[in-house]
Structure formats: structure tokens, C-alpha cells
């Protein structure tokens, strides 16, 4: 691997952030007129657009469940979203992330209110720079709220990782590739529930607990931004 | 203890009340805490706390008048799109008023795909799709007029308290309005300018449903436009 330093002598990271600092986040809600709900997020250099349709009639009909709505999720990276052109066909990684995001959002949705129907979530990554699944979850929960789908809480997500032996919040792509560990979590702050927790790399038990608390704290900050964004949409008129 | 004031904007997951309260529409309860489920305006009625949602799909309710479009034809029934997660069925015998025999009659001659109807929901539950009837005053096939879509959750605002908003719209423009609870509004009017104006006014209600004093503003908008135009 390269000898590039991830943390300089002042304790700042490559992009000038402190270890406990998240990248700047910008939201926009309701930008797609044809979708029932939509959201756009800029999380650092991640640019993601999410569209939500539903609850609507199941198509094909046989996938419907008698006691709750089916949630379908498609996470897709645009061919131009990465350094090297990505094939537009869904890769193994995209299929897995689709499933993971669906399972992170499903506990927040009152699916039992809409038996025999389905809710579709389409996530399109326009530009990616590490932590895109977290940004996608954050944006998708905004899009769900915008669609008027009953939710237990908004879901905020953030990653925490280890670079050069130190815990750092919200890893970027390079930090993720050169670092020692990466752990994305999705959190429902007002209920105190975690709906996604993945980890690759190595953490000691102590580090894990500390990392989890750091991520929860970051999710709270993101949660406040989510709320601000949703509110501003209606207050401004 | 209620954390918000009346008609304040709440978001999903907001803690809206603590203690001995009853969870109304779009509110859920965990132990003694009440949380919001949707974006909307909070309201109370004694111990009951509920939210008037700003967005959402139409969920059928028995007795609702809806405006739908025929999408498919079955044996002795039509499938009607009522702008909801569940499509409705309309029985042929309900339209003709006698037992339907596919041998002698053709469904397409009565109602064809693409036809618009005003119907009333007669039955709906979690296990079965809603069924419609067109028997009743004002119900049946729509032959003229234009249809405007608005967010279904804003229909109560369009009608207003004791139909104040709806009456204002009707009186000012002289058009006939049929409100479908599913967010479809049928407008019939002789004067095209008035119809156009009415559509604008309905759009205004849709966009500003969460603000106060809307009826007066709509009235002012209509009367000034009528004078000016």
C-alpha cells in the first residue's frame, strides 16, 4: 500500500476534518414531481437521488403479502459515479446494499397498515465517495417521509472507522480503502433503535463501544439536519 | 404533557406528548409516549391527539365518493383505478340494475376502458379490494368536464369548515364541482375562463393547505382575477 498519511501532524485528516467531524451535508426534498416522495443528498462528495413510490398495487400481483406491505429497494450506481466507468448492470455489491438498505428502513415503516401493497424505493448514486450506503439511507428516509408514508421515526445513518489506529467518523473513500476498519450504522434517534450495523476490519471491544457511541452521536447531528430540511419545505411557503 | 402547540408542524418520530393521552390518527404510542407518524399539523380533541397529514395516498373508506377510471374488464365486472393502493371492482349488475349475463350483453358497450365514473365505496377491508356502486344521485359515468388531481389528504381543506371553501369556489366561479375523496376533482363549467381560474385556485389550496386564513385569500384571489380578467 501507499505511504500516504491519513492524519497529519495537527491531527487533521486528508480533507482537513477533525477525527470527530462529519462531512458537510445538504438535503433537498420533493424535487421529483412524478414520484410520491423524493429526496436528494450531498454528503461530502456523495450525490444521491432517491425516489419513493407507493404504497401502490403490487406488480407482479403474487409478491403481495396478506398482512403487510412489501418494501422493494434498488440501490444503483450510475456508470459515471466512480473514477473508473462502472457497468450499469447491477453488481453483486449493489444487490447486497439494496438488501441492507431495505432492511435498515423496513423497521421504521408501518408496513402492516397497507396489506397486499408495495412500497418502492429507488436510489440512484450520481457520485460516490465512501459511505454511500449511509447517505442513501438518510436520504431514503426523507423521501419516505415526503411520500407521506407512516414512519416510526426518521432513520439517520453514519459510518465510523479506524484510520492509523484512531477512531474517525464518516470515512471517505480513501480513508475506507487505506484504513483498518469501517462500521456503518443506521439509527432511529427518538426510539433509540439501531436498524443497521455492519463492520469490516478489526476493532477491539473497547474501540467498538466507543465507535458505536461516536456514530450514534453523529446520527443525532444528521437527524437534526433531516428535520430542518423537512420543516423548511413547509415553513417557507 | 403535550410538547407542541395546536396546528404546529410535526415530523415522523417527533415526541408529541407524554402521559395519559390517546393516540388518534397518524400518532402511535409506546408506553406513555406519543410519537408522530407523518409530516402534518398537530391537533387535539380532549385527551385525543391526532395529526392532519400533509401528504399521503388515499386509503378507501366505506361511504366515500370517489372518481375513478376503468382500467380493466373482467367477467361481469370492471376494475376501476381509484388513485389508491387498492383498485376497486364495479359489478355489472350494479350498473344495469339486473342480473348480468355475458351471453347476451357486452360490458364494453356499457362502460369501456378509459371511461371515468363517479362511484361510492360500499365495502372495503384489509383482505378484500374495495367495491363500488354507481347507484345514487350524482353517481355514474362522467361524460363532460375536466379532472384536477390534488393530494388526497388535502381534500378536507378543499371542502373547508361546513363546506366554506367549496362554497366560495362554486359561488365565485359559477362552476359545478364534484369532489372525489381520492384526490380527483371534477369541474364542469360553461365559461372556460372560469374553469381555468378555478383550477388555479384549487392548485393554490393544494400548495398552501397548511396555512391559516386560506379561504379569505382564495376568495380575494378569485374576485380580483374575475374583475381584472
Amino acid at each position: 500500500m501507499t505511504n500516504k498519511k491519513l492524519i497529519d501532524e495537527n491531527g487533521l485528516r486528508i480533507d482537513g476534518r477533525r477525527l470527530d467531524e462529519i462531512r458537510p451535508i445538504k438535503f433537498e426534498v420533493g424535487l421529483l414531481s412524478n414520484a410520491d416522495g423524493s429526496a436528494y443528498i450531498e454528503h461530502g462528495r456523495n450525490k444521491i437521488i432517491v425516489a419513493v413510490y407507493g404504497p401502490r398495487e403490487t406488480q407482479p400481483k403474487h409478491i403481495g403479502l396478506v398482512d403487510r406491505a412489501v418494501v422493494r429497494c434498488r440501490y444503483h450506481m450510475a456508470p459515471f459515479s466512480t473514477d473508473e466507468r462502472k457497468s450499469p448492470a447491477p453488481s453483486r455489491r449493489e444487490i447486497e446494499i439494496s438488501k441492507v438498505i431495505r432492511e435498515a428502513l423496513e423497521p421504521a415503516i408501518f408496513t402492516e397498515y397497507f396489506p397486499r401493497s408495495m412500497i418502492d424505493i429507488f436510489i440512484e448514486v450520481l457520485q460516490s465517495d465512501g459511505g454511500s450506503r449511509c447517505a442513501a439511507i438518510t436520504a431514503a428516509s426523507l423521501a419516505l417521509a415526503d411520500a407521506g408514508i407512516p414512519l416510526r421515526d426518521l432513520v439517520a445513518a453514519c459510518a465510523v472507522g479506524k484510520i492509523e489506529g484512531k477512531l474517525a467518523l464518516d470515512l471517505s473513500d480513501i480513508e475506507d480503502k487505506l484504513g483498518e476498519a469501517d462500521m456503518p450504522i443506521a439509527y432511529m434517534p427518538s426510539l433509540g433503535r439501531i436498524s443497521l450495523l455492519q463492520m469490516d476490519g478489526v476493532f477491539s471491544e473497547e474501540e467498538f463501544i466507543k465507535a458505536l457511541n461516536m456514530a450514534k452521536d453523529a446520527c443525532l447531528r444528521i437527524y437534526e439536519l433531516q428535520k430542518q430540511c423537512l420543516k423548511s419545505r413547509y415553513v417557507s411557503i | 404533557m403535550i410538547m407542541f402547540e395546536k396546528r404546529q408542524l410535526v415530523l415522523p418520530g417527533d415526541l408529541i406528548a407524554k402521559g395519559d393521552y390517546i393516540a388518534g390518527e397518524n400518532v402511535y404510542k409506546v408506553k406513555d409516549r406519543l410519537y408522530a407518524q407523518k409530516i402534518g399539523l398537530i391537533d387535539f380533541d380532549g385527551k385525543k391527539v391526532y395529526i392532519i397529514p400533509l401528504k399521503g395516498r388515499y386509503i378507501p373508506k366505506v361511504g366515500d365518493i370517489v372518481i375513478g377510471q376503468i382500467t380493466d374488464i373482467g367477467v361481469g365486472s370492471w376494475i376501476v383505478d381509484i388513485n389508491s393502493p387498492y383498485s376497486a371492482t364495479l359489478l355489472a349488475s350494479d350498473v344495469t340494475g339486473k342480473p348480468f349475463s355475458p351471453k347476451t350483453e357486452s360490458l364494453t358497450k356499457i362502460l369501456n376502458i378509459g371511461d371515468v365514473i363517479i362511484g361510492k365505496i360500499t365495502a372495503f377491508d384489509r383482505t378484500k379490494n374495495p367495491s363500488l356502486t354507481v347507484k345514487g344521485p350524482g353517481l355514474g359515468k362522467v361524460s363532460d368536464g375536466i379532472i384536477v388531481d390534488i393530494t388526497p389528504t388535502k381534500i378536507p381543506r378543499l371542502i373547508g369548515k361546513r363546506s366554506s371553501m367549496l362554497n366560495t369556489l362554486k359561488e365565485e366561479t359559477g362552476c359545478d364541482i364534484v369532489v372525489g375523496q381520492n384526490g380527483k376533482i371534477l369541474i364542469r363549467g360553461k365559461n372556460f375562463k372560469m374553469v381555468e381560474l378555478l383550477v388555479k385556485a384549487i392548485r393554490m389550496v393544494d400548495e398552501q393547505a397548511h396555512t391559516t386564513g386560506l379561504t379569505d385569500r382564495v376568495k380575494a384571489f378569485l374576485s380580483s382575477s374575475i374583475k381584472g380578467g
Side-chain angles (χ1 to χ4, degrees):
Chain A
M1 281 302 228
T2 52
N3 297 321
K4 202 169 178 184
K5 278 189 76 76
L6 293 174
I7 304 175
D8 69 6
E9 52 279 6
N10 300 322
L12 295 177
R13 286 144 77 177
I14 292 172
D15 48 10
R17 282 186 290 155
R18 293 188 312 275
L19 288 171
D20 62 346
E21 205 174 334
I22 54 176
R23 287 172 284 182
I25 299 178
K26 209 181 94 185
F27 293 117
E28 206 178 311
V29 165
L31 63 159
L32 302 175
S33 55
N34 282 343
D36 291 314
S38 55
Y40 171 73
I41 182 173
E42 273 183 38
H43 186 141
R45 282 189 298 192
N46 286 302
K47 291 181 182 167
I48 301 170
I49 197 162
V50 182
V52 167
Y53 295 85
R56 58 180 177 181
E57 244 177 298
T58 47
Q59 199 61 253
K61 223 157 194 168
H62 69 262
I63 66 164
L65 300 174
V66 289
D67 59 339
R68 64 194 141 97
V70 177
V71 179
R72 299 199 303 182
C73 180
R74 183 181 109 121
Y75 167 97
H76 182 248
M77 289 178 96
F80 50 81
S81 64
T82 43
D83 292 341
E84 195 83 12
R85 180 185 181 276
K86 191 208 145 284
S87 160
S91 63
R92 196 217 93 250
R93 177 181 171 274
E94 284 169 290
I95 295 167
E96 179 192 319
I97 292 182
S98 300
K99 172 199 175 275
V100 157
I101 292 175
R102 191 188 76 228
E103 289 177 353
L105 293 169
E106 225 174 343
I109 307 171
F110 284 92
T111 50
E112 62 272 28
Y113 288 5
F114 309 106
R116 298 176 293 117
S117 66
M118 69 176 182
I119 296 165
D120 278 327
I121 304 165
F122 295 100
I123 298 163
E124 200 66 31
V125 180
L126 306 178
Q127 188 174 306
S128 71
D129 183 30
S132 67
R133 79 191 65 188
C134 290
I137 291 170
T138 309
S141 82
L142 276 185
L144 284 168
D146 180 49
I149 293 168
L151 299 175
R152 289 186 174 83
D153 198 359
L154 295 172
V155 188
C158 188
V160 58
K162 191 159 80 167
I163 47 173
E164 295 179 356
K166 285 178 182 153
L167 292 178
L169 265 181
D170 194 14
L171 298 190
S172 67
D173 198 36
I174 304 175
E175 290 171 332
D176 184 22
K177 286 197 172 110
L178 303 180
E180 291 103 82
D182 180 31
M183 179 170 81
I185 82 157
Y187 187 51
M188 290 185 259
S190 42
L191 304 177
R193 283 207 235 166
I194 291 173
S195 62
L196 165 83
L197 198 153
Q198 289 182 300
M199 188 175 98
D200 52 45
V202 184
F203 275 139
S204 72
E205 200 180 320
E206 248 168 66
E207 277 173 335
F208 174 80
I209 292 166
K210 202 179 161 214
L212 192 61
N213 287 328
M214 273 172 84
K216 275 187 184 173
D217 189 55
C219 285
L220 265 175
R221 272 182 265 165
I222 294 171
Y223 185 63
E224 288 309 315
L225 291 171
Q226 281 178 308
K227 284 188 156 185
Q228 255 176 41
C229 163
L230 276 177
K231 266 191 188 144
S232 66
R233 181 151 189 247
Y234 291 99
V235 171
S236 59
I237 299 171
Chain B
M1 191 175 65
I2 295 176
M3 316 297 193
F4 288 91
E5 284 167 40
K6 233 179 191 188
R7 299 196 68 78
Q8 206 178 346
L9 188 74
V10 289
L11 304 172
D14 275 351
L15 177 65
I16 47 181
K18 238 191 226 171
D20 184 26
Y21 290 100
I22 302 161
E25 271 167 60
N26 306 311
V27 175
Y28 73 103
K29 202 171 180 181
V30 181
K31 285 174 192 157
D32 64 338
R33 288 155 177 265
L34 269 70
Y35 295 97
Q37 286 181 354
K38 286 185 188 173
I39 304 181
L41 304 176
I42 188 168
D43 216 335
F44 342 111
D45 184 5
K47 283 267 161 203
K48 200 169 117 187
V49 183
Y50 60 97
I51 289 169
I52 305 158
L54 290 175
K55 270 188 119 182
R57 293 298 300 267
Y58 169 70
I59 301 300
K61 216 168 78 226
V62 174
D64 276 358
I65 303 285
V66 294
I67 297 173
Q69 192 171 31
I70 311 282
T71 53
D72 202 359
I73 295 171
V75 186
S77 68
W78 292 273
I79 306 296
V80 187
D81 172 23
I82 53 165
N83 194 28
S84 128
Y86 309 101
S87 57
T89 27
L90 175 65
L91 287 178
S93 55
D94 184 89
V95 180
T96 55
K98 56 177 197 283
F100 177 77
S101 144
K103 230 174 179 178
T104 54
E105 287 164 286
S106 163
L107 278 178
T108 49
K109 279 192 183 134
I110 308 165
L111 284 171
N112 209 342
I113 291 173
D115 282 353
V116 174
I117 57 148
I118 303 172
K120 193 168 158 187
I121 292 169
T122 52
F124 173 65
D125 63 32
R126 284 173 65 92
T127 57
K128 256 189 177 168
N129 274 357
S131 38
L132 288 177
T133 179
V134 289
K135 275 186 219 150
L139 305 184
K141 189 175 166 182
V142 175
S143 48
D144 63 329
I146 63 164
I147 285 178
V148 184
D149 291 286
I150 77 163
T151 318
T153 55
K154 288 169 184 168
I155 290 290
R157 195 71 193 85
L158 185 77
I159 294 169
K161 260 185 203 140
R162 274 175 251 109
S163 309
S164 59
M165 180 73 85
L166 198 59
N167 287 339
T168 306
L169 292 173
K170 277 182 186 166
E171 279 161 22
E172 294 285 333
T173 62
C175 295
D176 181 30
I177 307 171
V178 180
V179 179
Q181 292 295 326
N182 58 342
K184 301 260 178 203
I185 294 147
L186 176 69
I187 301 172
R188 290 194 192 100
K190 290 194 178 75
N191 187 337
F192 186 71
K193 270 235 168 83
M194 285 301 178
V195 174
E196 214 175 20
L197 213 57
L198 183 55
V199 173
K200 269 188 195 160
I202 291 172
R203 292 254 173 280
M204 193 170 150
V205 176
D206 194 11
E207 279 160 21
Q208 307 177 14
H210 58 288
T211 56
T212 49
L214 187 56
T215 311
D216 294 334
R217 252 179 297 143
V218 168
K219 203 169 188 169
F221 164 76
L222 283 175
S223 49
S224 73
S225 306
I226 289 165
K227 260 181 222 152

